[in-house]
Amino acid sequence: MDIVNVGIFANIDAGKTSLTECLYTITYGVEGGSVKRGTTISDSNIIERKRGISIFSSIIPIYYGNNKINIV
């Protein structure tokens, strides 16, 4: 299995978390969270959910074929 690490960097409110949640939904066929609803998978800290912003980095693993892609 090959492992690829991908980092997403952008300005505030550019949609980094929304993109990650969408990729999670597409990959696993289950609904990812929503920034507006405060239910994101990648923002698990209570302060992040309350404020609607990412404070800490997180890793979301996505499997594609024989590859593991870690989105940071």
Side-chain angles (χ1 to χ4, degrees):
M1 176 181 295
D2 292 328
I3 299 175
V4 178
N5 297 310
V6 177
I8 300 175
F9 298 90
N11 290 329
I12 296 170
D13 287 336
K16 301 174 295 291
T17 302
S18 296
L19 173 64
T20 304
E21 298 294 324
C22 183
L23 289 171
Y24 183 88
T25 299
I26 291 169
T27 302
Y28 296 111
V30 296
E31 185 177 354
S34 167
V35 175
K36 291 185 179 189
R37 291 191 311 251
T39 59
T40 57
I41 295 166
S42 56
D43 292 339
S44 58
N45 184 282
I46 190 72
I47 297 169
E48 292 176 312
R49 291 185 178 207
K50 183 178 179 181
R51 295 178 60 188
I53 61 169
S54 298
I55 299 170
F56 305 104
S57 61
S58 60
I59 298 172
I60 300 293
I62 293 177
Y63 296 91
Y64 182 75
N66 196 32
N67 301 304
K68 179 181 180 184
I69 303 168
N70 292 320
I71 300 177
V72 182

